[in-house]
Amino acid sequence: MATEGPAVRRVQVAEHPRLLKLKEMFNSKFGSVPKFYVRAPGRVNIIGEHIDYCGYSVLPMAVEQDMLIAVEPVKTHVLQLANTNPLYLDFSTSANNIQIDKTKPLWHNYFLCGFKGIQEHFGLSDVTGMNCLVDGNIPPSSGLSSSSALVCCAGLVTLTVLGMNLSKVELAEICAKSEHYIGTEGGGMDQSISFLAEEGTAKLIEFSPLRATDVKLPSGAVFVIANSCVEMNKAATSHFNIRVMECRLAAKLLAKHKCLPWEEVLRLEEVQAKLGVSLEEMLLITEDALHSEPYSPEEICRCLGISLQELKTQILSPSTQDVLSFKLYQRAKHVYSEAARVLQFKKEIWGSRITAYWSRLGRLHSIDSTC
Ligand code: ADP
Ligand code: MG
């Protein structure tokens, strides 16, 4: 599985209404026909919220909604992007001078993340141009990972145009890293499941090294994903990155409390690994080391024995420089207990009580759009 590449299929466009519509729109936009189509799905996370960027395993599955891109490589070095949704405006740039504007997360920047990630992986500065028409039906900013589906789809488009090969695992790792170009510091779950998902099964996604294991769902199980219609654009706001930073700061304070080399610690999982203790013990250590009131930057500095200047330049990211209060106790408690729930879920579902578990669970999964 680790070396398997993305699936390639021959299809009769005429037999697929969505492809046919895309082909016709492509033709009226660019005056030519697409050479190939690429698809990447969105996802729903069954269990394991906000813990992938702390190093812990998660349990998502792909949804039917996806990004579909019709592509035509061209001889010029121009990258032309269009979208079936008129809200997303046409964009064009030179393929050898990719600029991603973090301050304005316009849709084409997500495409550029995937494009740049593959370009850089192969050390290429001069990539052939292409015409692309994007058609997505994942509700945006609603927690089904439309952004990563677009980044992954663009990465795969670029790989195909270059005629290169990479495994799904390599593609997931590259796209997880390259989505950071938009400014969000996600952990890698969304890109991993977009590439590694398979029909009829959820996946336990583990990191370092990245791997995915089937967690077969009971046949006939139906998932209802309810959309609250509250959108949260992760790159246009700092909520997501603040949460990532709070987890990082909590990891550093816990490491310092336990006399570990806290300077090199970035994730809560590293503290557990270095101490060699259980998640339950990490919860007790959190109770002991952190308080439930939010921490000011000054208090964090006192705990770590560093200056405000050092905190700002060596630890805080651009989007967290001016944050005045950090929830460390709540983040660490959530991460260690949620990581334990993922393991328990895996154990239960792999055990003999699958049906009982599902009927007990019997809940709607609502889309987490408030990050
Ligand atoms: P999500 O939870 O859906 O990943 P994000 O805020 O991370 O939410 O990303 C949403 C952004 O992804 C949108 O603002 C838009 O720029 C981009 N996007 C989503 N769907 C499409 C689409 N169909 N076409 C182009 N861009 C899209
Ligand atoms: Mg996203």
Side-chain angles (χ1 to χ4, degrees):
M1 198 272 296
T3 55
E4 189 192 327
V8 181
R9 258 179 239 153
R10 284 207 158 271
V11 290
Q12 290 295 329
V13 172
E15 291 169 10
H16 298 269
R18 189 168 165 212
L19 287 182
L20 193 59
K21 207 166 145 218
L22 197 57
K23 182 181 171 184
E24 282 161 7
M25 237 177 126
F26 190 99
N27 189 249
S28 63
K29 188 98 212 160
F30 298 112
S32 51
V33 287
K35 290 285 171 302
F36 62 91
Y37 302 83
V38 170
R39 158 180 194 274
R43 61 98 186 112
V44 65
N45 189 19
I46 298 174
I47 193 162
E49 286 297 319
H50 286 280
I51 59 172
D52 60 337
Y53 50 78
C54 298
Y56 284 108
S57 311
V58 289
L59 217 148
M61 65 179 180
V63 291
E64 287 169 17
Q65 288 75 8
D66 59 13
M67 286 291 157
L68 186 62
I69 307 186
V71 190
E72 178 198 25
V74 293
K75 294 239 158 25
T76 65
H77 292 270
V78 178
L79 176 59
Q80 288 208 76
L81 305 178
N83 202 298
T84 55
N85 182 339
L87 289 177
Y88 300 120
L89 304 179
D90 289 359
F91 175 79
S92 146
T93 185
S94 160
N96 43 34
N97 181 28
I98 297 301
Q99 306 287 337
I100 300 175
D101 186 356
K102 283 186 185 181
T103 61
K104 284 194 216 101
L106 296 174
W107 79 276
H108 60 259
N109 284 312
Y110 293 91
F111 186 102
L112 297 181
C113 285
F115 184 83
K116 190 176 160 101
I118 296 295
Q119 200 181 18
E120 285 183 346
H121 178 81
F122 291 107
L124 304 169
S125 56
D126 193 10
V127 180
T128 175
M130 50 179 143
N131 295 330
C132 295
L133 178 61
V134 176
D135 182 53
N137 56 15
I138 306 165
S141 297
S142 304
L144 292 181
S145 228
S146 64
S147 64
S148 302
L150 182 50
V151 172
C152 293
C153 209
L156 193 48
V157 162
T158 312
L159 184 77
T160 312
V161 166
L162 290 173
M164 305 288 218
N165 293 309
L166 285 172
S167 71
K168 294 189 212 177
V169 166
E170 288 168 315
L171 276 162
E173 284 174 334
I174 293 166
C175 291
K177 224 168 82 195
S178 68
E179 192 165 337
H180 287 198
Y181 291 136
I182 201 81
T184 45
E185 298 179 43
M189 162 173 67
D190 305 343
Q191 301 81 2
S192 303
I193 193 66
S194 193
F195 281 114
L196 299 167
E198 286 173 295
E199 203 173 339
T201 182
K203 295 274 183 180
L204 177 76
I205 306 275
E206 296 167 277
F207 302 97
S208 310
L210 174 61
R211 57 213 184 275
T213 313
D214 285 3
V215 177
K216 290 272 183 217
L217 303 171
S219 69
V222 173
F223 291 82
V224 179
I225 302 167
N227 190 347
S228 65
C229 296
V230 179
E231 294 192 355
M232 165 67 78
N233 187 306
K234 266 62 93 194
T237 55
S238 52
H239 296 76
F240 185 85
N241 284 347
I242 290 175
R243 195 164 173 144
V244 175
M245 184 52 68
E246 287 173 326
C247 291
R248 181 169 303 169
L249 291 169
K252 287 185 182 292
L253 262 70
L254 290 174
K256 177 90 198 281
H257 180 80
K258 286 296 192 183
C259 303
L260 295 171
W262 63 268
E263 292 89 342
E264 62 200 48
V265 169
L266 295 173
R267 294 166 178 210
L268 285 161
E269 187 274 337
E270 290 165 38
V271 184
Q272 187 198 2
K274 282 185 198 298
L275 292 174
V277 301
S278 68
L279 286 163
E280 289 67 30
E281 278 174 81
M282 284 312 304
L283 283 166
L284 296 177
I285 293 170
T286 302
E287 293 283 349
D288 197 31
L290 302 176
H291 57 67
S292 61
E293 297 77 28
Y295 286 68
S296 66
E298 290 75 15
E299 185 178 6
I300 291 169
C301 289
R302 275 197 303 280
C303 293
L304 296 177
I306 57 173
S307 68
L308 201 56
Q309 175 72 4
E310 284 168 321
L311 178 70
K312 290 195 171 200
T313 55
Q314 290 166 27
I315 302 177
L316 297 184
S317 54
S319 51
T320 53
Q321 289 286 314
D322 301 321
V323 177
L324 297 176
S325 92
F326 295 95
K327 290 181 187 161
L328 305 191
Y329 170 87
Q330 291 82 353
R331 298 305 180 226
K333 286 275 281 191
H334 166 76
V335 170
Y336 291 129
S337 56
E338 182 78 347
R341 279 190 289 275
V342 173
L343 297 182
Q344 195 198 340
F345 182 96
K346 181 183 99 176
K347 212 168 92 199
E348 294 246 7
I349 202 127
W350 279 347
S352 55
R353 285 169 291 154
I354 289 175
T355 321
Y357 188 86
W358 279 98
S359 55
R360 217 166 58 235
L361 193 69
R363 61 177 172 134
L364 298 185
H365 194 297
S366 69
I367 301 175
D368 171 23
S369 56
T370 52
C371 106

